[in-house]
Amino acid sequence: HVQLVESGGGSVQAGGSRKLSCTPSGSIYYDNCMGWIRQAPGMEREAVAAIYTGLGRAHYAASVLGRFTISKDNARKTVYLQMNSLKPEDTAMYYCAARHRTLIQYNYWGQGTQVSVS
């Protein structure tokens, strides 16, 4: 089974940067889509970014476009989220998720890592 472990969260000043990591273990799909989804208290989930592991194609939410970059390390199967020019509204729990590229909804989720911007 698939396990996803996020790390890299913490407190950061507005305008600063933070880099999140997501390391999968278990039988991760060879050809998959991995993404970052965030949720702030009282707010709905927002898909921030996604990357198709096999294709290397990335997609971003309009709210983070130009500020965040998703990338992957093929050797370690790790996915990163480089977060620049952070704003207070970026404060949220950030979750890593995975799905096979043929699916629409993510079916594997990590435990989340908190990012607080002030």
Short mmCIF file of all heavy atoms in Angstrom, two decimals, residues 25-86:
data_model
loop_
_atom_site.label_atom_id
_atom_site.label_comp_id
_atom_site.label_asym_id
_atom_site.label_seq_id
_atom_site.Cartn_x
_atom_site.Cartn_y
_atom_site.Cartn_z
N SER A 25 6.11 5.80 -0.04
CA SER A 25 6.65 4.47 0.22
C SER A 25 5.57 3.46 -0.13
O SER A 25 4.41 3.82 -0.33
CB SER A 25 7.07 4.33 1.68
OG SER A 25 5.97 4.46 2.56
N GLY A 26 5.96 2.21 -0.19
CA GLY A 26 5.01 1.19 -0.58
C GLY A 26 4.87 1.13 -2.10
O GLY A 26 5.71 1.63 -2.84
N SER A 27 3.79 0.54 -2.54
CA SER A 27 3.58 0.30 -3.97
C SER A 27 2.93 1.49 -4.66
O SER A 27 1.76 1.44 -5.06
CB SER A 27 2.75 -0.97 -4.15
OG SER A 27 3.37 -2.10 -3.58
N ILE A 28 3.69 2.54 -4.80
CA ILE A 28 3.20 3.72 -5.50
C ILE A 28 3.03 3.40 -6.98
O ILE A 28 3.79 2.61 -7.55
CB ILE A 28 4.16 4.91 -5.30
CG1 ILE A 28 3.57 6.20 -5.86
CG2 ILE A 28 5.52 4.61 -5.94
CD1 ILE A 28 2.44 6.76 -5.05
N TYR A 29 2.03 4.00 -7.60
CA TYR A 29 1.82 3.79 -9.03
C TYR A 29 3.05 4.23 -9.80
O TYR A 29 3.64 5.27 -9.51
CB TYR A 29 0.62 4.59 -9.53
CG TYR A 29 -0.71 4.15 -8.99
CD1 TYR A 29 -1.52 5.05 -8.29
CD2 TYR A 29 -1.18 2.86 -9.21
CE1 TYR A 29 -2.76 4.66 -7.82
CE2 TYR A 29 -2.42 2.47 -8.72
CZ TYR A 29 -3.20 3.37 -8.04
OH TYR A 29 -4.44 2.99 -7.56
N TYR A 30 3.43 3.47 -10.79
CA TYR A 30 4.56 3.85 -11.62
C TYR A 30 4.25 5.12 -12.41
O TYR A 30 5.06 6.03 -12.48
CB TYR A 30 4.93 2.71 -12.58
CG TYR A 30 6.01 3.09 -13.56
CD1 TYR A 30 7.34 3.13 -13.16
CD2 TYR A 30 5.71 3.40 -14.88
CE1 TYR A 30 8.34 3.48 -14.04
CE2 TYR A 30 6.70 3.74 -15.78
CZ TYR A 30 8.01 3.79 -15.36
OH TYR A 30 9.01 4.13 -16.24
N ASP A 31 3.08 5.15 -12.99
CA ASP A 31 2.63 6.29 -13.77
C ASP A 31 1.53 6.99 -12.98
O ASP A 31 0.37 6.61 -13.05
CB ASP A 31 2.11 5.83 -15.13
CG ASP A 31 1.83 6.98 -16.08
OD1 ASP A 31 2.05 8.14 -15.69
OD2 ASP A 31 1.37 6.71 -17.20
N ASN A 32 1.92 7.98 -12.22
CA ASN A 32 0.97 8.60 -11.32
C ASN A 32 0.97 10.12 -11.40
O ASN A 32 1.83 10.73 -12.02
CB ASN A 32 1.25 8.17 -9.86
CG ASN A 32 2.57 8.70 -9.34
OD1 ASN A 32 2.71 9.88 -9.07
ND2 ASN A 32 3.54 7.81 -9.18
N CYS A 33 -0.02 10.68 -10.75
CA CYS A 33 -0.10 12.11 -10.54
C CYS A 33 0.03 12.37 -9.06
O CYS A 33 -0.66 11.74 -8.25
CB CYS A 33 -1.43 12.66 -11.05
SG CYS A 33 -1.65 14.42 -10.76
N MET A 34 0.92 13.25 -8.70
CA MET A 34 1.08 13.61 -7.30
C MET A 34 0.86 15.10 -7.16
O MET A 34 1.27 15.88 -8.02
CB MET A 34 2.46 13.21 -6.79
CG MET A 34 2.70 11.71 -6.84
SD MET A 34 4.26 11.18 -6.07
CE MET A 34 3.90 11.52 -4.35
N GLY A 35 0.21 15.47 -6.08
CA GLY A 35 -0.12 16.87 -5.91
C GLY A 35 -0.06 17.35 -4.48
O GLY A 35 0.11 16.56 -3.54
N TRP A 36 -0.20 18.64 -4.36
CA TRP A 36 -0.26 19.30 -3.06
C TRP A 36 -1.61 19.96 -2.92
O TRP A 36 -2.03 20.72 -3.81
CB TRP A 36 0.85 20.33 -2.91
CG TRP A 36 2.21 19.72 -2.80
CD1 TRP A 36 3.11 19.51 -3.79
CD2 TRP A 36 2.82 19.24 -1.60
NE1 TRP A 36 4.26 18.93 -3.29
CE2 TRP A 36 4.10 18.76 -1.95
CE3 TRP A 36 2.42 19.19 -0.26
CZ2 TRP A 36 4.99 18.21 -1.02
CZ3 TRP A 36 3.29 18.64 0.67
CH2 TRP A 36 4.56 18.16 0.28
N ILE A 37 -2.29 19.66 -1.83
CA ILE A 37 -3.60 20.21 -1.54
C ILE A 37 -3.54 20.86 -0.17
O ILE A 37 -2.98 20.29 0.76
CB ILE A 37 -4.69 19.12 -1.56
CG1 ILE A 37 -4.74 18.43 -2.93
CG2 ILE A 37 -6.05 19.70 -1.20
CD1 ILE A 37 -3.84 17.22 -3.05
N ARG A 38 -4.11 22.04 -0.05
CA ARG A 38 -4.08 22.72 1.24
C ARG A 38 -5.48 23.00 1.76
O ARG A 38 -6.44 23.09 1.01
CB ARG A 38 -3.30 24.04 1.14
CG ARG A 38 -3.96 25.11 0.29
CD ARG A 38 -3.04 26.30 0.15
NE ARG A 38 -3.63 27.37 -0.62
CZ ARG A 38 -2.99 28.48 -0.99
NH1 ARG A 38 -1.72 28.64 -0.65
NH2 ARG A 38 -3.62 29.41 -1.70
N GLN A 39 -5.57 23.12 3.07
CA GLN A 39 -6.84 23.43 3.71
C GLN A 39 -6.60 24.28 4.95
O GLN A 39 -5.86 23.89 5.84
CB GLN A 39 -7.61 22.17 4.08
CG GLN A 39 -9.00 22.45 4.60
CD GLN A 39 -9.87 21.22 4.65
OE1 GLN A 39 -9.37 20.11 4.86
NE2 GLN A 39 -11.15 21.39 4.45
N ALA A 40 -7.23 25.43 4.97
CA ALA A 40 -7.18 26.31 6.13
C ALA A 40 -8.46 26.13 6.93
O ALA A 40 -9.48 25.71 6.39
CB ALA A 40 -7.03 27.76 5.68
N PRO A 41 -8.43 26.43 8.23
CA PRO A 41 -9.62 26.28 9.06
C PRO A 41 -10.81 27.04 8.48
O PRO A 41 -10.70 28.21 8.13
CB PRO A 41 -9.19 26.87 10.40
CG PRO A 41 -7.72 26.65 10.44
CD PRO A 41 -7.27 26.87 9.02
N GLY A 42 -11.95 26.35 8.37
CA GLY A 42 -13.15 26.97 7.84
C GLY A 42 -13.18 27.14 6.34
O GLY A 42 -14.14 27.69 5.81
N MET A 43 -12.16 26.68 5.67
CA MET A 43 -12.08 26.82 4.23
C MET A 43 -12.15 25.45 3.54
O MET A 43 -11.87 24.43 4.15
CB MET A 43 -10.78 27.52 3.82
CG MET A 43 -10.56 28.87 4.47
SD MET A 43 -11.75 30.09 3.89
CE MET A 43 -11.15 30.37 2.22
N GLU A 44 -12.52 25.45 2.29
CA GLU A 44 -12.55 24.22 1.53
C GLU A 44 -11.15 23.87 1.07
O GLU A 44 -10.25 24.71 1.05
CB GLU A 44 -13.48 24.34 0.33
CG GLU A 44 -13.04 25.35 -0.71
CD GLU A 44 -13.99 25.45 -1.88
OE1 GLU A 44 -15.13 24.98 -1.75
OE2 GLU A 44 -13.59 25.99 -2.93
N ARG A 45 -10.97 22.62 0.71
CA ARG A 45 -9.69 22.19 0.20
C ARG A 45 -9.39 22.86 -1.13
O ARG A 45 -10.28 23.08 -1.94
CB ARG A 45 -9.67 20.67 0.01
CG ARG A 45 -9.64 19.87 1.29
CD ARG A 45 -9.64 18.39 0.99
NE ARG A 45 -9.56 17.59 2.19
CZ ARG A 45 -9.59 16.27 2.20
NH1 ARG A 45 -9.71 15.60 1.06
NH2 ARG A 45 -9.52 15.61 3.34
N GLU A 46 -8.12 23.18 -1.33
CA GLU A 46 -7.69 23.80 -2.57
C GLU A 46 -6.52 23.01 -3.12
O GLU A 46 -5.50 22.84 -2.45
CB GLU A 46 -7.28 25.25 -2.35
CG GLU A 46 -6.80 25.94 -3.63
CD GLU A 46 -6.32 27.36 -3.41
OE1 GLU A 46 -5.86 27.66 -2.28
OE2 GLU A 46 -6.41 28.16 -4.34
N ALA A 47 -6.67 22.53 -4.34
CA ALA A 47 -5.57 21.85 -5.01
C ALA A 47 -4.57 22.90 -5.49
O ALA A 47 -4.88 23.71 -6.36
CB ALA A 47 -6.08 21.02 -6.18
N VAL A 48 -3.40 22.89 -4.90
CA VAL A 48 -2.40 23.92 -5.16
C VAL A 48 -1.59 23.62 -6.42
O VAL A 48 -1.40 24.49 -7.27
CB VAL A 48 -1.47 24.06 -3.95
CG1 VAL A 48 -0.32 25.01 -4.26
CG2 VAL A 48 -2.26 24.54 -2.74
N ALA A 49 -1.11 22.41 -6.52
CA ALA A 49 -0.26 22.03 -7.64
C ALA A 49 -0.29 20.53 -7.83
O ALA A 49 -0.58 19.77 -6.90
CB ALA A 49 1.18 22.51 -7.42
N ALA A 50 0.02 20.10 -9.04
CA ALA A 50 0.09 18.68 -9.34
C ALA A 50 1.13 18.44 -10.42
O ALA A 50 1.40 19.32 -11.24
CB ALA A 50 -1.27 18.15 -9.80
N ILE A 51 1.70 17.25 -10.39
CA ILE A 51 2.67 16.88 -11.41
C ILE A 51 2.45 15.44 -11.82
O ILE A 51 2.22 14.57 -10.98
CB ILE A 51 4.12 17.11 -10.91
CG1 ILE A 51 5.12 16.87 -12.03
CG2 ILE A 51 4.44 16.22 -9.70
CD1 ILE A 51 6.52 17.39 -11.72
N TYR A 52 2.48 15.21 -13.13
CA TYR A 52 2.38 13.86 -13.66
C TYR A 52 3.78 13.27 -13.70
O TYR A 52 4.63 13.73 -14.46
CB TYR A 52 1.73 13.87 -15.04
CG TYR A 52 0.26 14.17 -14.99
CD1 TYR A 52 -0.21 15.48 -14.99
CD2 TYR A 52 -0.67 13.14 -14.90
CE1 TYR A 52 -1.56 15.74 -14.91
CE2 TYR A 52 -2.02 13.40 -14.82
CZ TYR A 52 -2.47 14.69 -14.83
OH TYR A 52 -3.82 14.95 -14.76
N THR A 53 3.99 12.29 -12.85
CA THR A 53 5.34 11.75 -12.65
C THR A 53 5.97 11.24 -13.94
O THR A 53 7.14 11.51 -14.21
CB THR A 53 5.31 10.62 -11.61
OG1 THR A 53 4.70 11.10 -10.40
CG2 THR A 53 6.71 10.13 -11.30
N GLY A 54 5.22 10.51 -14.72
CA GLY A 54 5.76 9.95 -15.95
C GLY A 54 6.00 10.98 -17.03
O GLY A 54 6.95 10.87 -17.80
N LEU A 55 5.14 11.98 -17.10
CA LEU A 55 5.22 12.98 -18.15
C LEU A 55 6.01 14.22 -17.74
O LEU A 55 6.54 14.92 -18.60
CB LEU A 55 3.81 13.40 -18.58
CG LEU A 55 2.91 12.31 -19.15
CD1 LEU A 55 1.51 12.85 -19.38
CD2 LEU A 55 3.50 11.77 -20.44
N GLY A 56 6.05 14.49 -16.45
CA GLY A 56 6.74 15.67 -15.98
C GLY A 56 5.96 16.95 -16.14
O GLY A 56 6.52 18.04 -15.99
N ARG A 57 4.69 16.84 -16.46
CA ARG A 57 3.85 18.02 -16.64
C ARG A 57 3.29 18.48 -15.31
O ARG A 57 2.86 17.68 -14.50
CB ARG A 57 2.71 17.72 -17.61
CG ARG A 57 3.19 17.41 -19.03
CD ARG A 57 2.04 17.04 -19.93
NE ARG A 57 2.48 16.76 -21.29
CZ ARG A 57 1.69 16.30 -22.25
NH1 ARG A 57 0.42 16.04 -21.99
NH2 ARG A 57 2.19 16.07 -23.46
N ALA A 58 3.28 19.79 -15.13
CA ALA A 58 2.81 20.38 -13.88
C ALA A 58 1.64 21.32 -14.11
O ALA A 58 1.51 21.94 -15.17
CB ALA A 58 3.95 21.13 -13.20
N HIS A 59 0.79 21.42 -13.11
CA HIS A 59 -0.36 22.31 -13.14
C HIS A 59 -0.44 23.04 -11.81
O HIS A 59 -0.06 22.51 -10.77
CB HIS A 59 -1.65 21.52 -13.38
CG HIS A 59 -1.64 20.76 -14.66
ND1 HIS A 59 -2.02 21.31 -15.86
CD2 HIS A 59 -1.28 19.47 -14.93
CE1 HIS A 59 -1.90 20.40 -16.82
NE2 HIS A 59 -1.45 19.29 -16.28
N TYR A 60 -0.95 24.26 -11.86
CA TYR A 60 -1.01 25.09 -10.66
C TYR A 60 -2.36 25.78 -10.53
O TYR A 60 -3.00 26.12 -11.52
CB TYR A 60 0.07 26.17 -10.69
CG TYR A 60 1.47 25.61 -10.76
CD1 TYR A 60 2.10 25.44 -11.98
CD2 TYR A 60 2.15 25.27 -9.60
CE1 TYR A 60 3.39 24.92 -12.05
CE2 TYR A 60 3.43 24.75 -9.66
CZ TYR A 60 4.05 24.58 -10.88
OH TYR A 60 5.32 24.06 -10.94
N ALA A 61 -2.74 26.01 -9.29
CA ALA A 61 -3.91 26.83 -9.02
C ALA A 61 -3.57 28.28 -9.32
O ALA A 61 -2.43 28.71 -9.16
CB ALA A 61 -4.35 26.68 -7.57
N ALA A 62 -4.57 29.04 -9.73
CA ALA A 62 -4.34 30.44 -10.05
C ALA A 62 -3.80 31.22 -8.85
O ALA A 62 -3.02 32.16 -9.01
CB ALA A 62 -5.64 31.09 -10.54
N SER A 63 -4.19 30.80 -7.65
CA SER A 63 -3.78 31.50 -6.45
C SER A 63 -2.29 31.41 -6.15
O SER A 63 -1.76 32.23 -5.40
CB SER A 63 -4.57 30.98 -5.24
OG SER A 63 -4.38 29.58 -5.08
N VAL A 64 -1.62 30.42 -6.72
CA VAL A 64 -0.19 30.24 -6.46
C VAL A 64 0.66 30.31 -7.71
O VAL A 64 1.89 30.25 -7.63
CB VAL A 64 0.09 28.90 -5.74
CG1 VAL A 64 -0.74 28.79 -4.47
CG2 VAL A 64 -0.19 27.72 -6.66
N LEU A 65 0.03 30.46 -8.85
CA LEU A 65 0.74 30.50 -10.11
C LEU A 65 1.79 31.61 -10.11
O LEU A 65 1.51 32.75 -9.78
CB LEU A 65 -0.23 30.71 -11.26
CG LEU A 65 0.33 30.59 -12.69
CD1 LEU A 65 0.82 29.18 -12.94
CD2 LEU A 65 -0.73 30.98 -13.70
N GLY A 66 3.00 31.25 -10.48
CA GLY A 66 4.09 32.20 -10.51
C GLY A 66 4.86 32.30 -9.21
O GLY A 66 5.95 32.88 -9.18
N ARG A 67 4.30 31.74 -8.15
CA ARG A 67 4.96 31.78 -6.84
C ARG A 67 5.43 30.40 -6.37
O ARG A 67 6.45 30.29 -5.71
CB ARG A 67 4.02 32.37 -5.78
CG ARG A 67 3.59 33.80 -6.07
CD ARG A 67 2.83 34.40 -4.88
NE ARG A 67 1.60 33.66 -4.60
CZ ARG A 67 1.34 33.07 -3.44
NH1 ARG A 67 2.21 33.11 -2.44
NH2 ARG A 67 0.18 32.43 -3.26
N PHE A 68 4.66 29.39 -6.69
CA PHE A 68 4.98 28.02 -6.26
C PHE A 68 5.47 27.20 -7.45
O PHE A 68 5.03 27.39 -8.58
CB PHE A 68 3.76 27.33 -5.67
CG PHE A 68 3.28 27.87 -4.35
CD1 PHE A 68 3.79 29.04 -3.82
CD2 PHE A 68 2.30 27.19 -3.64
CE1 PHE A 68 3.34 29.54 -2.61
CE2 PHE A 68 1.84 27.68 -2.43
CZ PHE A 68 2.36 28.85 -1.91
N THR A 69 6.35 26.26 -7.16
CA THR A 69 6.84 25.35 -8.19
C THR A 69 6.85 23.92 -7.64
O THR A 69 7.41 23.67 -6.58
CB THR A 69 8.26 25.72 -8.63
OG1 THR A 69 8.29 27.06 -9.14
CG2 THR A 69 8.74 24.77 -9.74
N ILE A 70 6.22 23.02 -8.38
CA ILE A 70 6.23 21.62 -8.00
C ILE A 70 7.28 20.91 -8.84
O ILE A 70 7.43 21.18 -10.03
CB ILE A 70 4.84 20.97 -8.17
CG1 ILE A 70 4.82 19.56 -7.59
CG2 ILE A 70 4.39 20.98 -9.63
CD1 ILE A 70 3.43 18.95 -7.48
N SER A 71 8.01 20.01 -8.22
CA SER A 71 9.05 19.27 -8.92
C SER A 71 9.16 17.88 -8.33
O SER A 71 8.55 17.57 -7.31
CB SER A 71 10.39 20.00 -8.83
OG SER A 71 10.81 20.14 -7.49
N LYS A 72 9.94 17.04 -8.97
CA LYS A 72 10.09 15.67 -8.50
C LYS A 72 11.52 15.18 -8.62
O LYS A 72 12.30 15.65 -9.45
CB LYS A 72 9.15 14.74 -9.28
CG LYS A 72 9.39 14.72 -10.79
CD LYS A 72 8.35 13.86 -11.48
CE LYS A 72 8.51 13.90 -12.99
NZ LYS A 72 9.77 13.27 -13.43
N ASP A 73 11.85 14.22 -7.77
CA ASP A 73 13.12 13.53 -7.78
C ASP A 73 12.80 12.10 -8.14
O ASP A 73 12.26 11.35 -7.33
CB ASP A 73 13.78 13.62 -6.40
CG ASP A 73 15.13 12.91 -6.33
OD1 ASP A 73 15.35 11.94 -7.08
OD2 ASP A 73 15.97 13.33 -5.52
N ASN A 74 13.13 11.71 -9.36
CA ASN A 74 12.76 10.38 -9.84
C ASN A 74 13.45 9.26 -9.07
O ASN A 74 12.85 8.20 -8.87
CB ASN A 74 13.08 10.26 -11.33
CG ASN A 74 12.18 11.10 -12.20
OD1 ASN A 74 11.01 11.31 -11.88
ND2 ASN A 74 12.71 11.57 -13.31
N ALA A 75 14.68 9.47 -8.67
CA ALA A 75 15.42 8.44 -7.96
C ALA A 75 14.78 8.12 -6.62
O ALA A 75 14.66 6.95 -6.24
CB ALA A 75 16.87 8.85 -7.78
N ARG A 76 14.38 9.14 -5.90
CA ARG A 76 13.78 8.95 -4.59
C ARG A 76 12.26 8.96 -4.62
O ARG A 76 11.61 8.76 -3.60
CB ARG A 76 14.29 10.02 -3.62
CG ARG A 76 15.78 9.93 -3.34
CD ARG A 76 16.23 11.05 -2.44
NE ARG A 76 17.62 10.87 -2.01
CZ ARG A 76 18.67 11.20 -2.74
NH1 ARG A 76 18.52 11.71 -3.95
NH2 ARG A 76 19.90 11.00 -2.27
N LYS A 77 11.69 9.22 -5.78
CA LYS A 77 10.24 9.31 -5.96
C LYS A 77 9.64 10.38 -5.06
O LYS A 77 8.48 10.28 -4.64
CB LYS A 77 9.57 7.96 -5.72
CG LYS A 77 10.06 6.86 -6.65
CD LYS A 77 9.29 5.57 -6.45
CE LYS A 77 9.86 4.44 -7.29
NZ LYS A 77 9.81 4.74 -8.73
N THR A 78 10.41 11.39 -4.77
CA THR A 78 9.99 12.46 -3.90
C THR A 78 9.48 13.64 -4.71
O THR A 78 10.04 13.99 -5.75
CB THR A 78 11.17 12.92 -3.01
OG1 THR A 78 11.59 11.82 -2.19
CG2 THR A 78 10.77 14.08 -2.13
N VAL A 79 8.40 14.24 -4.22
CA VAL A 79 7.82 15.42 -4.85
C VAL A 79 8.01 16.61 -3.92
O VAL A 79 7.83 16.50 -2.71
CB VAL A 79 6.34 15.20 -5.17
CG1 VAL A 79 5.72 16.48 -5.72
CG2 VAL A 79 6.18 14.08 -6.19
N TYR A 80 8.36 17.74 -4.51
CA TYR A 80 8.61 18.94 -3.74
C TYR A 80 7.65 20.05 -4.13
O TYR A 80 7.10 20.08 -5.23
CB TYR A 80 10.04 19.44 -3.99
CG TYR A 80 11.11 18.42 -3.71
CD1 TYR A 80 11.62 17.63 -4.74
CD2 TYR A 80 11.60 18.24 -2.42
CE1 TYR A 80 12.60 16.68 -4.49
CE2 TYR A 80 12.58 17.30 -2.17
CZ TYR A 80 13.08 16.52 -3.20
OH TYR A 80 14.05 15.59 -2.95
N LEU A 81 7.47 20.97 -3.21
CA LEU A 81 6.72 22.18 -3.50
C LEU A 81 7.54 23.36 -2.99
O LEU A 81 7.65 23.58 -1.79
CB LEU A 81 5.35 22.18 -2.83
CG LEU A 81 4.46 23.38 -3.17
CD1 LEU A 81 4.06 23.35 -4.65
CD2 LEU A 81 3.22 23.42 -2.29
N GLN A 82 8.15 24.07 -3.92
CA GLN A 82 8.89 25.28 -3.58
C GLN A 82 7.91 26.43 -3.51
O GLN A 82 7.22 26.72 -4.49
CB GLN A 82 9.97 25.56 -4.63
CG GLN A 82 10.77 26.83 -4.37
CD GLN A 82 11.59 26.75 -3.11
OE1 GLN A 82 12.32 25.78 -2.89
NE2 GLN A 82 11.47 27.76 -2.25
N MET A 83 7.84 27.07 -2.37
CA MET A 83 6.87 28.13 -2.12
C MET A 83 7.62 29.44 -1.91
O MET A 83 8.34 29.60 -0.94
CB MET A 83 6.03 27.80 -0.89
CG MET A 83 5.44 26.39 -0.92
SD MET A 83 4.82 25.85 0.69
CE MET A 83 3.40 26.91 0.87
N ASN A 84 7.44 30.36 -2.84
CA ASN A 84 8.08 31.66 -2.77
C ASN A 84 7.04 32.77 -2.62
O ASN A 84 5.87 32.56 -2.89
CB ASN A 84 8.92 31.92 -4.02
CG ASN A 84 10.04 30.92 -4.20
OD1 ASN A 84 10.62 30.43 -3.23
ND2 ASN A 84 10.38 30.63 -5.45
N SER A 85 7.51 33.92 -2.21
CA SER A 85 6.63 35.09 -2.05
C SER A 85 5.39 34.75 -1.25
O SER A 85 4.27 35.07 -1.64
CB SER A 85 6.26 35.65 -3.42
OG SER A 85 7.41 36.02 -4.16
N LEU A 86 5.59 34.09 -0.14
CA LEU A 86 4.47 33.61 0.66
C LEU A 86 3.64 34.75 1.24
O LEU A 86 4.17 35.80 1.61
CB LEU A 86 4.97 32.70 1.77
CG LEU A 86 5.38 31.30 1.31
CD1 LEU A 86 6.25 30.62 2.35
CD2 LEU A 86 4.13 30.47 1.02
#
